Amino acid sequence: MSSQLSLSNKAAAVFFAAAVTLSAMAPFSSARAADARFVSAGGMSFNLKVQSIKERKWHSVVRQERDFSCGSAAVATLLSYHYGRPTEEVEVFDAMFAVGDRQKIMAQGFSLLDMKRFLDARGYTADGFRVSLDKLAEVGVPAIVLLDLYGYKHFVVIKGVTAEHVLVGDPSRGIQRYKRTDFGKLLANDIVFVVRTQVEIAKANFNLVDDWSAHPSAPFGPAVSQSSLANITIYLPGTGTR
Amino acid sequence: MLNSIEHPMFRTIAGRPASGLRRFAVMLGLVLATGACAGGEMVSGTLPSGDAACQVDRAGLCDARENVLIAMASGRAIAQDAVVEEEVLEEQRGGFISVGGFQVDFGFEFSTMVNGSSQLTTVLTLNDIISGNGIVPNLNSISVSNGAAGGTDIIHAAGPDGISATILNSQDGVQIENVSTLAIDIIGLRNVRKGGRALGNGRRMPMETQQSIIRSLAR
């Protein structure tokens, strides 16, 4: 819980930085993306750690290095950001490629069995289960699932689930948010691939506020209420006949 | 063996009890699964391996597939019917282009012309560049001699670092041109966009090859 709280504060700092930029409209110099210096109208300056939306999308996802290596990147994402074991994709790729069916890997990509054997060899017991998304959300552990994007079979990591949305770590596109109904249509099957061991760590790193904040939704709603707009326009000088 | 039952009496494959022990295994599964359906507290940090043949969905008491993760989280038995067999896991593959998806064909032609006449042409296809980590090393050369007036040496080199043309010319008034033609044909993409599936094996271009081509074109 404490980790979630600290991550939440970090996310708040990011949005606070953005708010300051918009409200003060002050000139600022940005040395690098992670540390921006802001200058207020009064001449005071302060530094804030900021991340662009693009950076935020990759802050907890391992990007796939090869066009057919989404499987190895998904496993690296799972271990690095959900089980507290920093893992590079190349480590997973080399290990799975060494013992897997190379012809099939080159032709169709890695399989869930490749992932299972890799994780089993490192002390994680992993299996595929035929369960619904609701049940996965109820348990609250991350999972690797296979999407079928019109013939494009692609592994992603489910990082969180709410009543309305599914948060996904996509090795090719970073953190993505889907509506539950839309995501259900993309699933290639009803198999969720989960690690059985270290449940507490997995649950503690599922549905993180920090991950959800990487894909903020626009605040839909009227910028000016109709009543307040009427109060303004009613007193404007008329241009019609009197 | 993925779905073995840990008790020696019930040891079998794929979570299916041996026929002689099936009835007892079903009864054991009912007992354990009843507890799973009722829920329970987390008892350990490890999701248990399948240690009982839960047949509750067949018995109609509850859906084992729906309750398997609940059982996992509560530290109770896992219904074997919900665990996916290794053969099925092996079939679940993901990559950029799937077999039955769309097919990418690639052709790269590099031609050097001297005074409007093509003297040396080097052609690369996808077969030349996906057999290893990048482009298969390829070297072509020709010497165009004009007697005492001099000559022109043309060398085409292709390799992991890119594709290049080196021209050594020792005669005046010669017009030399290099023409690079890159052809990429994506077969079946239209069908994929429509949600359909085209026939044919998918082929992909390794990242190293993509970078080699990009470096070559950037020169």
Side-chain angles (χ1 to χ4, degrees):
Chain A
M1 186 60 72
S2 60
S3 63
Q4 291 187 14
L5 184 61
S6 63
L7 292 172
S8 176
N9 290 339
K10 184 179 171 186
V14 172
F15 292 122
F16 174 69
V20 168
T21 307
L22 289 173
S23 62
M25 297 295 287
F28 68 92
S29 60
S30 177
R32 58 185 186 274
D35 191 7
R37 179 169 176 264
F38 293 83
V39 180
S40 69
M44 295 177 62
S45 65
F46 51 93
N47 294 322
L48 281 178
K49 291 186 181 300
V50 296
Q51 284 183 314
S52 67
I53 292 295
K54 184 178 180 181
E55 288 173 316
R56 296 284 300 157
K57 283 191 173 184
W58 289 102
H59 88 287
S60 64
V61 180
V62 175
R63 188 195 294 263
Q64 64 186 85
E65 292 293 327
R66 295 166 185 256
D67 50 14
F68 58 92
S69 66
C70 56
S72 53
V75 172
T77 298
L78 194 69
L79 292 179
S80 298
Y81 298 109
H82 296 279
Y83 286 89
R85 174 174 173 160
T87 306
E88 294 188 4
E89 188 210 354
V90 64
E91 174 192 346
V92 184
F93 184 97
D94 289 347
M96 294 201 303
F97 194 73
V99 300
D101 186 329
R102 296 188 180 189
Q103 292 297 325
K104 284 189 175 180
I105 291 171
M106 291 294 288
Q108 303 172 44
F110 289 111
S111 72
L112 285 178
L113 184 58
D114 294 326
M115 301 180 199
K116 173 181 167 51
R117 287 173 174 163
F118 173 85
L119 291 167
D120 286 352
R122 280 152 183 79
Y124 299 89
T125 304
D127 272 314
F129 295 92
R130 294 188 185 278
V131 293
S132 66
L133 203 57
D134 287 335
K135 292 302 174 186
L136 180 67
E138 199 170 337
V139 175
V141 295
I144 294 176
V145 295
L146 186 62
L147 302 186
D148 186 345
L149 306 175
Y150 304 111
Y152 170 11
K153 295 288 182 60
H154 186 52
F155 286 116
V156 298
V157 179
I158 295 180
K159 300 172 77 71
V161 181
T162 66
E164 297 290 330
H165 294 96
V166 180
L167 193 70
V168 164
D170 186 328
S172 67
R173 297 197 299 160
I175 294 178
Q176 301 290 316
R177 184 210 305 245
Y178 295 90
K179 289 184 178 177
R180 289 272 298 254
T181 51
D182 295 339
F183 188 73
K185 296 174 184 174
L186 296 177
L187 286 171
N189 49 49
D190 60 348
I191 298 174
V192 296
F193 185 77
V194 299
V195 173
R196 294 181 175 189
T197 48
Q198 302 189 20
V199 181
E200 286 86 355
I201 296 177
K203 291 168 78 77
N205 289 292
F206 189 71
N207 262 343
L208 290 179
V209 173
D210 201 34
D211 285 342
W212 282 100
S213 69
H215 205 289
S217 59
F220 293 106
V224 180
S225 67
Q226 289 189 351
S227 58
S228 62
L229 190 63
N231 289 336
I232 295 173
T233 55
I234 198 169
Y235 297 114
L236 291 176
T239 56
T241 57
R242 185 161 184 239
Chain B
M1 190 164 55
L2 172 62
N3 297 326
S4 65
I5 299 175
E6 292 177 353
H7 194 289
M9 287 183 63
F10 306 108
R11 191 169 297 280
T12 180
I13 59 172
R16 301 293 182 185
S19 58
L21 301 171
R22 190 181 188 94
R23 179 173 298 177
F24 184 73
V26 169
M27 293 173 62
L28 178 60
L30 284 174
V31 173
L32 293 171
T34 303
C37 293
E41 297 300 321
M42 181 76 71
V43 294
S44 73
T46 300
L47 298 177
S49 60
D51 55 1
C54 180
Q55 305 286 337
V56 289
D57 52 341
R58 294 175 185 173
L61 293 179
C62 64
D63 187 350
R65 296 197 305 172
E66 289 295 298
N67 286 283
V68 60
L69 282 178
I70 300 298
M72 288 168 57
S74 60
R76 294 178 184 269
I78 294 177
Q80 291 299 303
D81 284 357
V83 179
V84 179
E85 293 84 0
E86 287 194 0
E87 292 76 12
V88 178
L89 290 180
E90 207 276 335
E91 294 171 356
Q92 310 306 313
R93 293 182 178 273
F96 180 70
I97 304 170
S98 66
V99 171
F102 55 90
Q103 174 179 334
V104 178
D105 277 336
F106 167 83
F108 187 84
E109 184 178 287
F110 202 67
S111 182
T112 302
M113 294 184 285
V114 178
N115 292 330
S117 174
S118 179
Q119 298 296 332
L120 184 64
T121 299
T122 299
V123 176
L124 294 174
T125 66
L126 200 55
N127 289 331
D128 298 320
I129 57 179
I130 66 170
S131 56
N133 289 329
I135 301 173
V136 176
N138 188 4
L139 189 67
N140 287 329
S141 64
I142 191 172
S143 293
V144 181
S145 175
N146 195 18
T152 305
D153 295 328
I154 305 169
I155 304 168
H156 288 178
D161 293 331
I163 306 165
S164 65
T166 303
I167 298 169
L168 304 174
N169 180 60
S170 60
Q171 57 181 333
D172 295 330
V174 177
Q175 183 181 9
I176 300 173
E177 292 177 89
N178 274 323
V179 178
S180 303
T181 305
L182 175 64
I184 299 177
D185 189 11
I186 304 177
I187 303 169
L189 183 59
R190 183 178 301 174
N191 293 333
V192 170
R193 282 179 173 167
K194 288 179 179 177
R197 292 165 185 261
L199 297 176
N201 292 331
R203 304 166 76 183
R204 62 202 45 78
M205 192 179 300
M207 196 65 74
E208 294 87 347
T209 305
Q210 296 176 30
Q211 292 167 353
S212 296
I213 293 170
I214 291 170
R215 279 197 299 268
S216 302
L217 295 177
R219 287 176 179 170

